[in-house]
Amino acid sequence: MCHNRFALLLFVSFSFWTATTAEDLPQPQADSLNPEITQVYISLASHPASGQRATLYNQLAQYYSRDREVPDSAWYYARQVYRLVEYPKTQAEESLCLNALSLLANYYNQTDSTKQLLKTCLAARTRIANSAYKPSFVREWVNFNKEISRVYLRQQNYVQGIRTLQEVPPFVMAHASADFSMDSRVYFNISVLFSNLEQPDSAYYYYTKGEQLAQSQGKAKILLKKTSLKARILIQLGRIDEATQLLESLEQQLPAINNSLTSVNTYSALAALAYKRKDTARELHYSRLAYNAALETKEEQLQAQTGIDLAINLANAGQYEEAYLLHAHSSDLILSLINSDTKNQVQALELKHRNELLAREQAETTLQAQALYQQQQNLWLLSALLIAAILLAIVFYKGRQRKKRLNSVLSVQKAQLQELDEAKSRLFANISHELR
């Protein structure tokens, strides 16, 4: 009976697990899946082992991460991968775990969930720092660190952003293999943060280190794009002539570079240079060029910032009507960005709430299944006790009946013996009487 109870418990648990797994899987659109992904779903339907299931979930997460229209599916499958390999035993499982965290960070970046993005990247960085396979994941550690610094830059927390990036070079030197090449953009990003803090000496120091590293790696294209940063730092240092030569040379190369963000940075630096020289006309001219270049990008925050700068220069030039309209449009854009961030935060909270409700429903279903199983066990126990009681009653009743039959037989035999005894007594009495 004990074996039967254990088998039933396993059956109920397995049935519940398969039911919840089937409910949790997002339903794919068959017309949008390629045969390989369809095969992944077929493989998952056979309930493989956890290691293979993590690999299959990872393939689905990678597939959906390339589709911007279904980011929630990528988030879901990345969460499944992380849940399965949260405590990795091999380097392959560690790689799957970090890849899942990277996909989660990408999802939070797309949905502007800054708090979750920072939390995920910090967790990934800590995981790598404490991993036994640390040297194999130096590049991932650097990438997560750069993402953390971008978050701090977005929050205008420049000091924390600098500290984060300054940890990269010593970590790489301590743990990276000989064939690992340091990314020069780390030094350039540190330089940007120091420049934003109005610390041009430190900014120039790190720019020089990044410039030397990029030159040694033959990355001329990166150096060309960072020329506007160097010019901005030189303006802060008061080296106006050097900044002018750099920016004039860079302005001539902008059509060949054909990069809107580089154009924005270049024209903004030229506008700052004109401001230093108190050349209002050129400052207005380059502010307009910077704004037009920002409109070609998808960076709404950059568009709002350059728009407000242009509106201020228009007002200084006496073009109040255009300045008012542009300032109103840029302000509305900033408000929409703030509202968008708030909306995304609300959506993130709603998603968290839905997940909590789902987890609660699953817990309640588990409790109900356990309660049902316990009731069945109690019913079986009561049934067994009742059957045992009936059997005992039957045995007791039959025993009493048998005892009664034996007693009646004994009574008859006793009466017969008494009659024989009396007959014997009369016989001996008669014989004695005759003898006398």
Side-chain angles (χ1 to χ4, degrees):
M1 184 174 178
C2 180
H3 293 293
N4 293 336
R5 291 173 59 186
F6 182 72
L8 180 65
L9 178 62
L10 286 178
F11 175 76
V12 171
S13 302
F14 179 77
S15 302
F16 173 71
W17 176 78
T18 54
T20 53
T21 303
E23 291 175 359
D24 287 346
L25 285 176
Q27 297 300 320
Q29 298 178 358
D31 56 352
S32 66
L33 294 180
N34 58 37
E36 182 180 352
I37 296 301
T38 305
Q39 185 60 41
V40 172
Y41 276 103
I42 294 173
S43 301
L44 281 171
S46 63
H47 303 296
S50 60
Q52 185 181 358
R53 194 160 68 249
T55 303
L56 295 171
Y57 280 142
N58 182 62
Q59 293 179 24
L60 292 174
Q62 293 280 4
Y63 173 77
Y64 285 112
S65 67
R66 295 191 290 270
D67 189 351
R68 298 256 177 176
E69 296 181 359
V70 285
D72 289 346
S73 296
W75 173 86
Y76 172 83
Y77 289 117
R79 286 283 300 172
Q80 296 303 312
V81 175
Y82 182 74
R83 180 177 61 83
L84 289 170
V85 292
E86 185 176 1
Y87 304 101
K89 298 178 181 178
T90 63
Q91 185 173 343
E93 290 184 354
E94 185 76 76
S95 180
L96 281 175
C97 183
L98 293 174
N99 185 65
L101 288 172
S102 178
L103 291 172
L104 289 173
N106 184 50
Y107 168 79
Y108 294 134
N109 193 24
Q110 289 180 20
T111 56
D112 292 330
S113 303
T114 305
K115 185 176 180 180
Q116 289 295 330
L117 173 61
L118 183 60
K119 182 179 178 181
T120 302
C121 292
L122 287 171
R125 187 180 68 169
T126 303
R127 174 179 287 277
I128 295 174
N130 298 329
S131 173
Y133 312 105
K134 189 186 309 181
S136 302
F137 300 111
V138 171
R139 190 175 303 280
E140 286 79 2
W141 189 90
V142 172
N143 291 335
F144 281 118
N145 239 36
K146 288 195 292 187
E147 193 61 45
I148 292 169
S149 70
R150 290 192 194 100
V151 174
Y152 287 137
L153 180 60
R154 203 177 306 165
Q155 296 175 344
Q156 296 186 351
N157 188 353
Y158 302 130
V159 175
Q160 195 62 40
I162 289 171
R163 289 175 181 172
T164 302
L165 287 174
Q166 284 178 330
E167 294 174 2
V168 173
F171 184 88
V172 170
M173 292 179 63
H175 303 290
S177 57
D179 57 345
F180 183 86
S181 58
M182 179 70 181
D183 192 350
S184 59
R185 285 173 293 188
V186 172
Y187 292 115
F188 290 135
N189 291 339
I190 298 175
S191 178
V192 169
L193 293 170
F194 272 120
S195 178
N196 291 334
L197 286 173
E198 298 293 335
Q199 298 182 22
D201 292 328
S202 298
Y204 188 75
Y205 170 77
Y206 281 102
Y207 180 87
T208 304
K209 290 181 72 69
E211 184 179 40
Q212 293 172 352
L213 183 59
Q215 287 175 349
S216 65
Q217 295 173 349
K219 297 181 179 179
K221 191 173 182 179
I222 293 179
L223 282 174
L224 190 60
K225 290 181 179 180
K226 297 300 179 182
T227 303
S228 59
L229 171 61
K230 183 177 182 179
R232 190 174 77 175
I233 297 171
L234 290 174
I235 293 172
Q236 291 177 335
L237 289 170
R239 296 157 64 173
I240 305 299
D241 293 337
E242 294 180 49
T244 303
Q245 292 177 2
L246 281 175
L247 290 173
E248 288 177 351
S249 174
L250 182 60
E251 185 180 11
Q252 294 175 0
Q253 299 179 63
L254 285 179
I257 297 174
N258 193 24
N259 184 284
S260 300
L261 190 57
T262 303
S263 299
V264 172
N265 293 332
T266 302
Y267 291 136
S268 297
L270 285 166
L273 185 61
Y275 173 77
K276 283 283 187 180
R277 291 177 169 176
K278 298 182 180 180
D279 190 342
T280 307
R282 290 178 66 85
E283 183 182 3
L284 177 59
H285 171 69
Y286 285 119
S287 295
R288 192 181 295 277
L289 289 176
Y291 177 68
N292 292 335
L295 292 177
E296 297 177 3
T297 69
K298 296 180 180 180
E299 298 287 338
E300 293 183 341
Q301 187 173 0
L302 185 62
Q303 294 173 13
Q305 182 180 350
T306 54
I308 289 177
D309 291 340
L310 176 57
I312 293 172
N313 290 326
L314 287 169
N316 292 334
Q319 302 178 30
Y320 299 111
E321 184 176 355
E322 185 181 359
Y324 173 78
L325 294 174
L326 183 59
H327 189 275
H329 171 71
S330 301
S331 300
D332 291 341
L333 186 58
I334 291 175
L335 288 175
S336 69
L337 289 172
I338 294 173
N339 293 333
S340 176
D341 289 341
T342 305
K343 182 180 178 181
N344 290 325
Q345 291 176 1
V346 171
Q347 289 177 347
L349 290 174
E350 289 178 350
L351 181 61
K352 181 180 179 181
H353 180 62
R354 287 200 302 270
N355 292 333
E356 290 176 351
L357 288 178
L358 179 61
R360 192 178 304 166
E361 290 175 359
Q362 291 178 352
E364 290 176 356
T365 306
T366 305
L367 290 175
Q368 290 174 0
Q370 292 175 352
L372 178 61
Y373 174 74
Q374 190 63 40
Q375 289 176 1
Q376 292 176 347
Q377 292 297 305
N378 293 337
L379 182 61
W380 290 351
L381 181 60
L382 289 174
S383 301
L385 290 174
L386 181 59
I387 293 171
I390 293 172
L391 291 174
L392 287 173
I394 292 172
V395 170
F396 182 74
Y397 175 76
K398 287 186 175 182
R400 285 182 63 86
Q401 292 296 321
R402 183 180 178 186
K403 186 176 181 180
K404 284 181 179 181
R405 287 196 301 270
L406 289 174
N407 287 336
S408 63
V409 170
L410 289 174
S411 298
V412 172
Q413 290 178 352
K414 184 178 180 180
Q416 291 176 352
L417 287 174
Q418 286 178 352
E419 289 178 0
L420 289 173
D421 189 51
E422 290 176 357
K424 183 183 72 172
S425 297
R426 285 195 302 270
L427 178 62
F428 282 121
N430 290 333
I431 291 173
S432 299
H433 182 70
E434 291 293 332
L435 289 174
R436 270 189 256 147

